[in-house]
Amino acid sequence: MSSHAITWDSDHNPIWQAVGLLLRPLHLALAYPSILYVAAMTVFLFRPPDLFACYADRIAFGVLVFFVALRVMALGEKIPFFAGLSLPMLGLTALAVLRALREPFDPMVWSIIASKFIVPFALFHIAALVFREASQRRHFEIFIVLALAYLVFNAIAFLVDARSLIVPRFILDESLGFHPDRARGPFLQAVANGVSLNLLGILAFVVSQKRNRFVSFLWLVLPLAVLATMTRAVWISFVLSTLVVGFRFIERRLQAVCIVLVVAGLLAGLAIGFSDHSLKNAFWDRTEERGPVVARMAVYNAGWTMFQERPFTGWPAGRMYAELGRRMEGYHLRLFYVHNTYLALLVEFGVPGLALYGVLFFNLFRLSRRAPPGESGSVTALRKVWPVLLCVYLFNAFFVDMAYQFVIGLLFTAAGILCASEEPAA
């Protein structure tokens, strides 16, 4: 044999080294699915519904599903199934998809269906697969703190009119989304931003094993960020949920929570008191503003009338928004939405849709009552405040149609983590 024969030693052969280098991302994605998960959530954070020209979130979602499915097959794992949660979610997804298939293809309709039903359904089951160990949950905890820090920074920058510090720049584009005069964050909607701040604030408080100074500082300035949303529903839910969380952790943290609330209140008062006259007027005008309330009541009346006409079959999504706009003559709005998650379900799916939604959230509330023996401290803390997180979400759902996949995904990720901790005991 020639002395120049090819050797297939993987340690020295350049071909094998090149193959190994190419397969390295595959190995990392399979070995660390939790990092891939939080990367996808990061993309969701910066992809509001109004940016139809960018489909980065769908790519990130597809990559996440692909690698998790590959990992499941490689390890011979079972896809988790929780009848009380999986079945109603599957029913809502099937209702939305089947009705959309009967209509001409509309990318906006399919984007809404994906954000409200398909993506949360998948994220819930993927989270139950991915976040089974403390090291994996740690990645999610770090993401929570960083996401909260980013949203708080942007909201306060908006409050003090430091617009040059706000990123990405599309947040300041008044032609996109809603509420350009409020701290709306990358969601382009003040309620969605406020709900995210509220949920992330609670999660950061309970899942961080060590009360480090950075998390404490975020909690100190969080009220200012919530105040900057200038949304009354968000203010109410934040105050009530913060007080409830304090009482739920009365053994160790009530005193700290009270101090935080007092200091935060003083900071908010000082910020407004020393601000210019226009800022003070903006807050007072917002608390007394009646125009949005009147417009919402008109939308609710139109939506309720549409539901009464089709109480069990609902309206196809493609025609629902056009019909709602037709019935809102005299209101010069750019887009017509029901602005109420429950009424939107009734209008689109009729009574069956709201019934499935009710069953789903009834079983979600039950997660707080099932704690398997030997559960880790962070999951136990999450289970303890789980009803508070659900109430924050459901309360704000009265004032907006929850079509923001980051907000919904955040909630169902937490639900998946709770379910994952129950699996070994099953």
Side-chain angles (χ1 to χ4, degrees), residues 211-231:
R211 297 270 73 78
N212 59 63
R213 293 180 179 179
F214 185 60
V215 174
S216 299
F217 173 76
L218 287 178
W219 254 76
L220 189 67
V221 297
L222 181 58
L224 287 176
V226 172
L227 192 67
T229 64
M230 296 191 184
T231 304

Side-chain angles (χ1 to χ4, degrees), residues 331-351:
Y331 287 87
H332 304 289
L333 303 177
R334 185 164 54 87
L335 292 171
F336 290 93
Y337 293 106
V338 181
H339 293 294
N340 183 299
T341 300
Y342 316 108
L343 185 55
L345 287 166
L346 284 174
V347 173
E348 187 171 356
F349 304 121
V351 173

Side-chain angles (χ1 to χ4, degrees), residues 85 124 127-128 364 367 382 386 410-420:
L85 299 173
F124 167 71
L364 283 172
L367 291 179
L382 173 60
W386 179 239
L410 187 66
L411 188 76
F412 281 95
T413 298
I417 291 173
L418 292 177
C419 289

Side-chain angles (χ1 to χ4, degrees), residues 92-333:
L92 285 167
T93 303
L95 273 177
V97 170
L98 290 175
R99 293 176 69 82
L101 288 173
R102 295 167 56 186
E103 299 292 317
F105 178 76
D106 186 338
M108 186 186 78
V109 170
W110 279 100
S111 178
I112 293 174
I113 290 173
S115 299
K116 294 173 68 173
F117 304 111
I118 298 175
V119 172
F121 176 78
L123 289 182
F124 167 71
H125 293 89
I126 292 173
L129 280 168
V130 168
F131 297 110
R132 289 177 172 173
E133 299 177 4
S135 60
Q136 296 167 331
R137 291 192 293 270
R138 182 60 181 162
H139 296 150
F140 183 61
E141 293 167 11
I142 294 172
F143 167 76
I144 287 171
V145 174
L146 293 179
L148 177 63
Y150 163 74
L151 292 180
V152 166
F153 176 82
N154 259 10
I156 294 179
F158 191 92
L159 182 67
V160 300
D161 202 26
R163 305 295 175 93
S164 60
L165 300 178
I166 295 176
V167 292
R169 303 303 294 173
F170 68 74
I171 295 175
L172 302 175
D173 188 345
E174 297 186 3
S175 66
L176 296 174
F178 303 91
H179 313 143
D181 56 334
R182 310 186 209 172
R184 56 184 187 167
F187 310 99
L188 303 182
Q189 212 274 356
V191 177
N193 191 35
V195 174
S196 298
L197 285 165
N198 202 344
L199 295 179
L200 288 168
I202 296 172
L203 287 170
F205 180 73
V206 300
V207 303
S208 296
Q209 292 295 308
K210 299 178 181 179
R211 297 270 73 78
N212 59 63
R213 293 180 179 179
F214 185 60
V215 174
S216 299
F217 173 76
L218 287 178
W219 254 76
L220 189 67
V221 297
L222 181 58
L224 287 176
V226 172
L227 192 67
T229 64
M230 296 191 184
T231 304
R232 288 162 287 195
V234 170
W235 295 344
I236 294 170
S237 64
F238 175 75
V239 170
L240 293 179
S241 63
T242 302
L243 290 173
V244 172
V245 168
F247 282 108
R248 292 288 286 176
F249 285 79
I250 191 170
E251 315 91 274
R252 294 175 296 167
R253 298 171 182 155
L254 179 59
Q255 184 178 4
V257 170
C258 290
I259 293 173
V260 166
L261 284 173
V262 171
V263 175
L266 290 174
L267 285 174
L270 289 172
I272 297 174
F274 287 102
S275 64
D276 59 19
H277 189 66
S278 61
L279 181 58
K280 288 186 286 187
N281 285 343
F283 281 111
W284 283 113
D285 290 345
R286 182 61 194 144
T287 57
E288 299 176 356
E289 191 174 7
R290 299 294 302 170
V293 176
V294 174
R296 281 181 186 273
M297 294 307 299
V299 171
Y300 293 163
N301 288 333
W304 183 253
T305 302
M306 290 173 64
F307 160 68
Q308 290 178 315
E309 293 177 7
R310 301 185 181 185
F312 296 102
T313 59
W315 292 75
R319 284 186 281 165
M320 183 179 83
Y321 302 111
E323 179 65 19
L324 184 65
R326 188 185 69 80
R327 297 179 184 227
M328 291 288 295
E329 279 189 47
Y331 287 87
H332 304 289
L333 303 177

Side-chain angles (χ1 to χ4, degrees), residues 23-67:
L23 292 178
R24 187 63 176 168
L26 175 64
H27 170 262
L28 292 175
L30 293 175
Y32 302 101
S34 55
I35 295 179
L36 195 63
Y37 191 104
V38 298
M41 288 292 292
T42 303
V43 176
F44 295 166
L45 176 63
F46 294 102
R47 171 54 167 82
D50 293 74
L51 293 183
F52 294 112
C54 178
Y55 297 99
D57 59 328
R58 300 294 171 246
I59 296 172
F61 176 68
V63 170
L64 175 64
V65 171
F66 172 77
F67 280 108

